[in-house]
Amino acid sequence: MSRLAAISGRDLVAALGRIGFEELRTRGSHRFLRHSDGRATVVPVHSNEDLGRGLLAKILRDVKLSGEELRKLL
């Protein structure tokens, strides 16, 4: 498996929005997203910070998306 690229929370929320995820609510800097098929995740959106590789991998597992599919969305 190739390494995941550094990506900000804001860019990840935008990419997930392109495939049908909607923002349900916000609590502080955390965005709660859900897809109509039931997949859901929480993405922290901190200014000027990229998501860590481990957190990004966890979010991708939650939404059942591969790193390659994410690269195509960006």
Side-chain angles (χ1 to χ4, degrees):
M1 184 169 121
S2 64
R3 293 178 65 135
L4 296 172
I7 182 175
S8 70
R10 181 169 305 191
D11 291 340
L12 182 58
V13 169
L16 292 175
R18 287 185 206 106
I19 58 170
F21 281 84
E22 296 180 7
E23 190 173 324
L24 292 179
R25 62 190 176 100
T26 302
R27 181 165 184 171
S29 61
H30 293 82
R31 310 276 172 92
F32 293 76
L33 305 168
R34 180 170 296 151
H35 194 273
S36 61
D37 65 7
R39 296 178 286 169
T41 193
V42 178
V43 179
V45 178
H46 299 127
S47 62
N48 300 325
E49 280 190 36
D50 289 335
L51 298 173
R53 284 192 320 238
L55 179 58
L56 180 56
K58 169 70 170 90
I59 292 170
L60 292 178
R61 277 194 306 270
D62 287 346
V63 299
K64 296 179 177 75
L65 197 66
S66 71
E68 188 59 38
E69 291 169 326
L70 176 62
R71 281 187 202 93
K72 289 178 184 175
L73 290 173
L74 300 174

